[in-house]
Amino acid sequence: MGSIFLKEISRLKGVFIFLVVVLAGFFLWFCFKVRYDFGAIHPESVIWYGYNFFDNHPESVMAWVWVILGVGVSLAQFLSERARIKCLLHLPKSSAMLLLEHFYPVFILFGAIWLVFGGWLLVFSSFFYPVVILEQIAINWCYYALCGVLFYIFTNAVVINKNAIFSFALAVVFTVLSFMVLFYLRSFLVIILLAVVGGILCFNSLLSHKQTSLKTPFLGAIYVVLAVVFVFSGVGFYDKSLKEKKENYYIFYSPSLKEFIYQHNLGGHYFAYKSASGKEFKSEKEYKNELAFNYYMDLEQQGKLPVVIDGESFSKERIKNARFSMSYTPADAKPPQIPLYPLFNPDPKVSSIPFSEDMIYFAKNGLEIYHHDGNLDKEFSSFLNDKALNLDVKFPAVAVWGRFTNLKPYDSGIFFKDSKGDVFNITVYDNKLDFKEIPSLKNFEHLHVNESKNSDFLAIAFKDSKIYLMDKKYLLTKLDVGEFNWHTMRLRVAFDAKYLQVRYDDGRVYKAFAFDKDDFKEVDKFQIK
């Protein structure tokens, strides 16, 4: 091992020095950019918010650093040595040991880069981010490093193989698979599994210079593993980037026709307009004219406002002021990667809500408050945890709900469910804290909050496949619309001047209901596939 190890260290020394210098320059640029961003944006918690809710991870560029390291080192190590591989196989050592002895120095140098530059990244980031985000930065850095190792091993398998056609096929499969795993199938277990598989294929590529290979059943099992990972990562890629999330039908209740009418989205900007009774509208204009509460602006342009329905006159202002809607998709229920949320503190003297200078973290055994300077506010955290203790909150919290943006007319605070199923609400207004239990929401599965001044309702709540509307006093109104699966279905709840309309679908079956907006008695319902 000693001679090959020293030879590889000596041969790759220049390459590694060059890569380390480039990497150091890149890190200096990275540090400058992060410092500039934090200096330009106030409070700094805005950047934390972007990190957690919008995946604005500045360290994500490090993924490309490791990709370049993995591929670059592999090419530098084996591309020029490809013609000498057959000579190496005549050495009095096993093929597997020869391969490992070439890998050892690279893994050691990769480990040194991971340790030195990872330490640099974490120490620098600690001046700007709270520790709960630093933990995620460390995890991401480790993941990117493993991806670099994977790219190195996969590139070796391609470069070493004697068969040019097979090498090309491997290159295509490995490239697609590696990038899918890097960006769409984030799993340490999968990365390690693929690294092992890649190592075996490297060994098989080495054997190709002996005009032999691993046994067919064993290779078949390896290819099955690659195929399974390829399928799962491909599904993740499709769902995230390619899958159309359009609605096939837009269904509304017509106050003039007293039935549901709908727009059928045929694709390619082609639409059909029909009613539940089978009537076909000749044009989009004819269709919209039957939906006075939805397309009142179109009626205004035609000089048809106010509109009279059931002997009652509805002006533009009346229609506009009565409108209120809440939409929900399963993606809305996906929690952020880190249970770190803005804790807004509206100022009654300011019309808009300033962004929160404090972020609340739901730890496994309590609550932690991080001020925008990145430091843990021990006094505020202790105060909150004393309140939680008095309310008999059982941590960890199993769900956290709220509308986590300052672009809203008022703030209803943060709702969370503890491990007993009890739901609590935390609000801060004008520096005054309110921490209370919401008994009406006990054991509810999900709460979709949407603050609005146009309605007395604050949120949509889900429990036992049923839909409820929750008002600002936390009172619940059940909607009799059948079973709703909030994990897989989309929902739209809309109030207009006369009706409450509810529409939901699973992408295949679309259901719509109309209720009287005052007494919630069902007016009509409709279903289409």
Side-chain angles (χ1 to χ4, degrees), residues 20 31 36-37 43 84 93-94 114 138 141 160 183 192 199 203 219 245 265 278 286 319 354 412 441 483:
V20 167
C31 293
Y36 176 82
D37 289 342
R84 298 181 61 249
K93 293 185 178 183
S94 68
W114 170 79
W141 174 253
I160 294 173
F183 295 110
I192 294 171
F203 179 65
L219 273 181
K245 297 177 174 62
N265 301 320
E286 182 183 358
I319 295 173
S412 62
L441 289 175
E483 293 195 351

Side-chain angles (χ1 to χ4, degrees), residues 94 96 125 156 171 189 197-199 290 319 388 415 431 487 491 499 516:
S94 68
S125 299
N156 288 344
L189 181 62
V197 169
E290 302 296 346
I319 295 173
F415 297 84
N431 295 319
H487 296 286
L491 170 69
Y499 305 105
D516 184 283

Side-chain angles (χ1 to χ4, degrees), residues 305-322:
L305 287 183
V307 63
V308 177
I309 297 174
D310 297 334
E312 192 174 358
S313 178
F314 294 89
S315 65
K316 173 185 174 181
E317 289 72 23
R318 184 178 177 185
I319 295 173
K320 183 178 179 180
N321 292 336

Side-chain angles (χ1 to χ4, degrees), residues 206-456:
L206 190 65
L207 293 180
S208 69
H209 291 266
K210 289 184 174 182
Q211 305 298 324
T212 185
S213 68
L214 296 171
K215 293 182 179 180
T216 303
F218 186 72
L219 273 181
I222 294 297
Y223 295 143
V224 167
V225 171
L226 289 177
V228 170
V229 176
F230 189 88
V231 168
F232 276 97
S233 57
V235 169
F237 173 74
Y238 174 77
D239 285 340
K240 189 172 183 179
S241 302
L242 301 178
K243 185 178 180 180
E244 288 190 86
K245 297 177 174 62
K246 69 175 184 179
E247 294 185 54
N248 293 325
Y249 299 96
Y250 295 150
I251 309 170
F252 302 97
Y253 186 74
S254 169
S256 52
L257 296 178
K258 297 295 185 291
E259 67 171 332
F260 281 101
I261 63 177
Y262 59 90
Q263 172 184 300
H264 185 189
N265 301 320
L266 303 173
H269 298 288
Y270 291 98
F271 310 99
Y273 304 96
K274 299 179 181 180
S275 72
S277 61
K279 176 183 177 180
E280 293 193 18
F281 298 95
K282 297 178 181 178
S283 65
E284 181 183 8
K285 179 180 178 181
E286 182 183 358
Y287 164 77
K288 288 184 175 180
N289 283 349
E290 302 296 346
L291 296 171
F293 297 152
N294 298 92
Y295 299 103
Y296 63 92
M297 297 293 290
D298 293 70
L299 295 181
E300 182 185 35
Q301 291 177 358
Q302 299 172 44
K304 294 183 178 180
L305 287 183
V307 63
V308 177
I309 297 174
D310 297 334
E312 192 174 358
S313 178
F314 294 89
S315 65
K316 173 185 174 181
E317 289 72 23
R318 184 178 177 185
I319 295 173
K320 183 178 179 180
N321 292 336
R323 287 166 58 88
F324 169 69
S325 65
M326 291 185 284
S327 297
Y328 167 82
T329 67
D332 297 329
K334 183 181 179 181
Q337 200 167 21
I338 305 169
L340 181 70
Y341 302 86
L343 185 60
F344 295 107
N345 182 12
D347 185 342
K349 299 177 183 178
V350 180
S351 58
S352 60
I353 300 175
F355 197 84
S356 171
E357 293 192 352
D358 295 316
M359 301 282 280
I360 183 169
Y361 176 70
F362 286 81
K364 291 182 179 180
N365 56 355
L367 301 169
E368 297 175 359
I369 298 293
Y370 289 92
H371 199 53
H372 70 87
D373 58 7
N375 293 323
L376 175 66
D377 190 329
K378 295 182 179 179
E379 183 179 353
F380 195 180
S381 300
S382 178
F383 179 72
L384 269 179
N385 286 311
D386 287 342
K387 290 275 189 180
L389 183 63
N390 292 335
L391 289 169
D392 194 30
V393 177
K394 299 299 181 184
F395 291 101
V398 296
V400 181
W401 307 307
R403 191 178 176 198
F404 301 109
T405 173
N406 61 324
L407 303 178
K408 53 187 179 181
Y410 70 94
D411 177 49
S412 62
I414 295 174
F415 297 84
F416 73 93
K417 182 167 70 172
D418 73 358
S419 56
K420 304 196 313 295
D422 293 329
V423 176
F424 302 86
N425 176 243
I426 301 174
T427 57
V428 180
Y429 182 78
D430 194 21
N431 295 319
K432 296 180 178 64
L433 174 74
D434 185 23
F435 193 159
K436 59 182 177 290
E437 183 180 357
I438 313 296
S440 60
L441 289 175
K442 183 177 176 62
N443 291 324
F444 266 72
E445 297 160 12
H446 186 70
L447 189 70
H448 184 66
V449 179
N450 186 9
E451 295 100 335
S452 173
K453 289 185 176 180
N454 287 354
S455 175
D456 291 330

Side-chain angles (χ1 to χ4, degrees), residues 79-92:
L79 194 60
S80 61
E81 295 285 300
R82 204 164 179 270
R84 298 181 61 249
I85 291 177
K86 194 168 184 178
C87 297
L88 290 173
L89 292 172
H90 287 90
L91 293 174

Side-chain angles (χ1 to χ4, degrees), residues 19-34:
L19 289 175
V20 167
V21 170
V22 172
L23 192 57
F26 177 82
F27 262 72
L28 288 172
W29 169 83
F30 170 82
C31 293
F32 170 80
K33 185 178 184 304
V34 170

Side-chain angles (χ1 to χ4, degrees), residues 169-199:
L170 279 179
V172 172
V173 172
F174 286 166
T175 300
V176 174
L177 192 60
S178 298
F179 279 106
M180 281 186 173
V181 170
L182 178 58
F183 295 110
Y184 298 101
L185 188 65
R186 295 287 299 260
S187 169
F188 279 92
L189 181 62
V190 172
I191 286 286
I192 294 171
L193 176 64
L194 287 178
V196 173
V197 169

